Amino acid sequence: MKKIVGTIAAIALAASSAFAGVGIGAWGRGIWAPVAGKGTDVVGFSAPSWAWDTVQGPRIGISIHAESENVGFNIDMNGDKGGIGAGDTQFIWVKPWSFLEVQVGKVQDNTLRGDGCFGAFNWLRNSKMASMGEDLTFSRVGDGKNSQVKGAIVKVTPVDGLLIEAALKADGSKAEDIFKEGQYAAGYDIAGVGLVRAQYIGATKTVNAAFDLKAVDGLALSVGAFFPTESGKEIKIAAYGAYGFGMVKAHALVNVGFTDSTADVTAGVGADFDFGNGIGVNADVRFNTVNDTNSFSFLAGVTKGFSNGLIGLGFQGVTQSEAGAAGKYDFLIDGDSTFAWQIPVRVEYWF
């Protein structure tokens, strides 16, 4: 009997030790528009924030991860469209030394990424303007096109504050093409000053550089530029700033893209108001002009937050131009209509 009890205790100890680093996380968001003006028609739909897929419904995401000092894994899954499928990332990571980490699978790294997300971006991204925010000043390390690479990411931290990364696809291509189309980035965090970084994106043959200022309390400021190495491609310069004071946090962004014949400018301002007890208000206005053809979008919304989520109600509108301010959001406009509106109900969770 003592032997059986001892065996059971050993198994329990081994199990608790083996699973000590296992965890489950979750995030999801959905937009339900019971009424939305689509040209001359009034319709209803549900979608994730990235609104072009009204069949998908909300994003229902869950991740399973485990880690020890030297190894770990992450599985990201989505329960969208009535079924369970692979999410953004699924990978194994190993740190043979404290300064070296290798991630293999479908993976991305956001450590150096330069975002400018606020307002409509967190509600219904009903236009190219409203969707602007992710990877605004510095692209995440992945496939070089603001998404995940199916291959590997190698991260090296030789000294405090310095990060060097390389992302390489693994799809059976010739080795020379894999390295040519890789993404190579480096960033240095200057204590008390800010984060400076640069990268070469082989998939788009672009040099990207950015700087985030961290020296002013309450102020977040990121400035970046994208320079293609091939002639005739678009040059982009972008900036995002946010400043918090009291119950208010103000936001502003600008993105300028230009070639020899085209200038494309997007600008936006917004504010978040925290009234306490989980009550918040979001508002923003965005403007886009392409060679004197103009479009704009707006949002006003109120949310009630809870310990692990929120619910919100808003009103959004967007004008579309012949220059294609809608892009992949063209489903919002019918025929010759130039204005669309939505009353979104926003639901969100995080665990």
Short mmCIF file of all heavy atoms in Angstrom, two decimals, residues 252-278:
data_model
loop_
_atom_site.label_atom_id
_atom_site.label_comp_id
_atom_site.label_asym_id
_atom_site.label_seq_id
_atom_site.Cartn_x
_atom_site.Cartn_y
_atom_site.Cartn_z
N ALA A 252 -3.42 61.42 -32.18
CA ALA A 252 -3.31 62.00 -33.52
C ALA A 252 -2.38 61.13 -34.35
O ALA A 252 -1.40 60.58 -33.83
CB ALA A 252 -2.79 63.43 -33.46
N LEU A 253 -2.70 60.99 -35.62
CA LEU A 253 -1.80 60.29 -36.54
C LEU A 253 -1.81 60.96 -37.90
O LEU A 253 -2.78 61.63 -38.28
CB LEU A 253 -2.17 58.81 -36.67
CG LEU A 253 -3.44 58.34 -37.38
CD1 LEU A 253 -3.37 58.44 -38.91
CD2 LEU A 253 -3.75 56.90 -37.01
N VAL A 254 -0.74 60.74 -38.63
CA VAL A 254 -0.66 61.19 -40.01
C VAL A 254 0.17 60.17 -40.78
O VAL A 254 1.15 59.63 -40.26
CB VAL A 254 -0.05 62.61 -40.13
CG1 VAL A 254 1.38 62.64 -39.59
CG2 VAL A 254 -0.09 63.10 -41.56
N ASN A 255 -0.26 59.88 -41.99
CA ASN A 255 0.46 58.96 -42.87
C ASN A 255 0.47 59.57 -44.27
O ASN A 255 -0.58 59.88 -44.83
CB ASN A 255 -0.23 57.59 -42.89
CG ASN A 255 0.56 56.57 -43.70
OD1 ASN A 255 1.49 55.95 -43.20
ND2 ASN A 255 0.18 56.39 -44.96
N VAL A 256 1.67 59.76 -44.81
CA VAL A 256 1.82 60.36 -46.13
C VAL A 256 2.52 59.35 -47.04
O VAL A 256 3.62 58.89 -46.73
CB VAL A 256 2.63 61.66 -46.08
CG1 VAL A 256 2.74 62.27 -47.47
CG2 VAL A 256 2.00 62.64 -45.10
N GLY A 257 1.86 58.99 -48.12
CA GLY A 257 2.48 58.11 -49.11
C GLY A 257 2.52 58.81 -50.45
O GLY A 257 1.54 59.41 -50.88
N PHE A 258 3.67 58.75 -51.10
CA PHE A 258 3.75 59.45 -52.38
C PHE A 258 4.70 58.73 -53.33
O PHE A 258 5.69 58.11 -52.94
CB PHE A 258 4.17 60.90 -52.20
CG PHE A 258 5.42 61.10 -51.39
CD1 PHE A 258 6.67 61.14 -52.00
CD2 PHE A 258 5.36 61.26 -50.01
CE1 PHE A 258 7.83 61.33 -51.26
CE2 PHE A 258 6.52 61.45 -49.27
CZ PHE A 258 7.76 61.49 -49.90
N THR A 259 4.33 58.81 -54.60
CA THR A 259 5.19 58.38 -55.69
C THR A 259 5.42 59.59 -56.58
O THR A 259 5.07 60.71 -56.23
CB THR A 259 4.51 57.25 -56.49
OG1 THR A 259 3.31 57.75 -57.08
CG2 THR A 259 4.18 56.06 -55.60
N ASP A 260 5.96 59.36 -57.76
CA ASP A 260 6.20 60.48 -58.67
C ASP A 260 4.92 61.15 -59.12
O ASP A 260 4.91 62.34 -59.44
CB ASP A 260 6.97 59.98 -59.91
CG ASP A 260 8.37 59.51 -59.55
OD1 ASP A 260 8.89 59.95 -58.50
OD2 ASP A 260 8.93 58.70 -60.32
N SER A 261 3.80 60.40 -59.13
CA SER A 261 2.57 60.94 -59.70
C SER A 261 1.41 61.02 -58.71
O SER A 261 0.38 61.62 -59.01
CB SER A 261 2.12 60.09 -60.89
OG SER A 261 1.92 58.74 -60.49
N THR A 262 1.53 60.43 -57.51
CA THR A 262 0.41 60.34 -56.59
C THR A 262 0.82 60.72 -55.18
O THR A 262 1.88 60.31 -54.71
CB THR A 262 -0.17 58.91 -56.58
OG1 THR A 262 -0.54 58.53 -57.90
CG2 THR A 262 -1.40 58.83 -55.68
N ALA A 263 -0.05 61.49 -54.52
CA ALA A 263 0.12 61.79 -53.10
C ALA A 263 -1.12 61.28 -52.36
O ALA A 263 -2.25 61.58 -52.75
CB ALA A 263 0.30 63.28 -52.88
N ASP A 264 -0.90 60.50 -51.32
CA ASP A 264 -1.99 59.90 -50.55
C ASP A 264 -1.75 60.26 -49.08
O ASP A 264 -0.80 59.80 -48.46
CB ASP A 264 -1.99 58.39 -50.75
CG ASP A 264 -3.19 57.70 -50.09
OD1 ASP A 264 -3.84 58.34 -49.24
OD2 ASP A 264 -3.45 56.53 -50.41
N VAL A 265 -2.63 61.10 -48.52
CA VAL A 265 -2.45 61.60 -47.16
C VAL A 265 -3.64 61.18 -46.31
O VAL A 265 -4.79 61.42 -46.67
CB VAL A 265 -2.30 63.13 -47.13
CG1 VAL A 265 -2.12 63.62 -45.69
CG2 VAL A 265 -1.15 63.58 -48.01
N THR A 266 -3.36 60.56 -45.17
CA THR A 266 -4.38 60.25 -44.18
C THR A 266 -3.99 60.90 -42.86
O THR A 266 -2.84 60.79 -42.43
CB THR A 266 -4.54 58.74 -43.98
OG1 THR A 266 -4.98 58.14 -45.20
CG2 THR A 266 -5.54 58.43 -42.89
N ALA A 267 -4.95 61.55 -42.22
CA ALA A 267 -4.72 62.17 -40.93
C ALA A 267 -5.93 61.92 -40.05
O ALA A 267 -7.06 61.79 -40.54
CB ALA A 267 -4.47 63.67 -41.08
N GLY A 268 -5.70 61.84 -38.75
CA GLY A 268 -6.81 61.62 -37.84
C GLY A 268 -6.51 62.14 -36.45
O GLY A 268 -5.35 62.20 -36.02
N VAL A 269 -7.56 62.52 -35.74
CA VAL A 269 -7.45 62.92 -34.34
C VAL A 269 -8.57 62.24 -33.58
O VAL A 269 -9.64 61.93 -34.12
CB VAL A 269 -7.53 64.46 -34.15
CG1 VAL A 269 -6.35 65.15 -34.80
CG2 VAL A 269 -8.84 65.00 -34.73
N GLY A 270 -8.32 61.99 -32.30
CA GLY A 270 -9.33 61.34 -31.48
C GLY A 270 -9.07 61.56 -30.01
O GLY A 270 -8.03 62.10 -29.61
N ALA A 271 -10.03 61.14 -29.19
CA ALA A 271 -9.89 61.28 -27.74
C ALA A 271 -10.65 60.17 -27.04
O ALA A 271 -11.71 59.73 -27.50
CB ALA A 271 -10.40 62.64 -27.28
N ASP A 272 -10.09 59.71 -25.93
CA ASP A 272 -10.75 58.77 -25.03
C ASP A 272 -11.02 59.48 -23.71
O ASP A 272 -10.13 60.17 -23.18
CB ASP A 272 -9.87 57.54 -24.77
CG ASP A 272 -9.48 56.82 -26.06
OD1 ASP A 272 -10.30 56.78 -26.98
OD2 ASP A 272 -8.35 56.30 -26.11
N PHE A 273 -12.22 59.28 -23.17
CA PHE A 273 -12.60 59.90 -21.91
C PHE A 273 -12.95 58.80 -20.90
O PHE A 273 -13.78 57.94 -21.19
CB PHE A 273 -13.81 60.83 -22.10
CG PHE A 273 -13.59 61.91 -23.11
CD1 PHE A 273 -13.85 61.69 -24.46
CD2 PHE A 273 -13.13 63.16 -22.71
CE1 PHE A 273 -13.66 62.69 -25.40
CE2 PHE A 273 -12.94 64.17 -23.65
CZ PHE A 273 -13.20 63.94 -24.99
N ASP A 274 -12.32 58.84 -19.75
CA ASP A 274 -12.56 57.86 -18.70
C ASP A 274 -13.37 58.51 -17.59
O ASP A 274 -12.85 59.35 -16.84
CB ASP A 274 -11.23 57.34 -18.15
CG ASP A 274 -11.40 56.26 -17.10
OD1 ASP A 274 -12.56 55.93 -16.75
OD2 ASP A 274 -10.38 55.73 -16.61
N PHE A 275 -14.65 58.12 -17.47
CA PHE A 275 -15.53 58.72 -16.47
C PHE A 275 -15.61 57.90 -15.19
O PHE A 275 -16.41 58.22 -14.31
CB PHE A 275 -16.93 58.89 -17.07
CG PHE A 275 -17.00 59.93 -18.15
CD1 PHE A 275 -16.93 59.56 -19.48
CD2 PHE A 275 -17.12 61.28 -17.84
CE1 PHE A 275 -16.99 60.51 -20.49
CE2 PHE A 275 -17.17 62.23 -18.84
CZ PHE A 275 -17.10 61.86 -20.17
N GLY A 276 -14.78 56.86 -15.10
CA GLY A 276 -14.79 56.04 -13.91
C GLY A 276 -15.90 55.01 -13.92
O GLY A 276 -16.83 55.05 -14.76
N ASN A 277 -15.82 54.05 -13.02
CA ASN A 277 -16.81 52.98 -12.91
C ASN A 277 -16.98 52.21 -14.22
O ASN A 277 -18.05 51.70 -14.53
CB ASN A 277 -18.17 53.54 -12.46
CG ASN A 277 -19.10 52.45 -11.93
OD1 ASN A 277 -18.64 51.44 -11.37
ND2 ASN A 277 -20.39 52.61 -12.14
N GLY A 278 -15.89 52.15 -15.01
CA GLY A 278 -15.93 51.39 -16.25
C GLY A 278 -16.54 52.11 -17.43
O GLY A 278 -16.64 51.54 -18.52
#
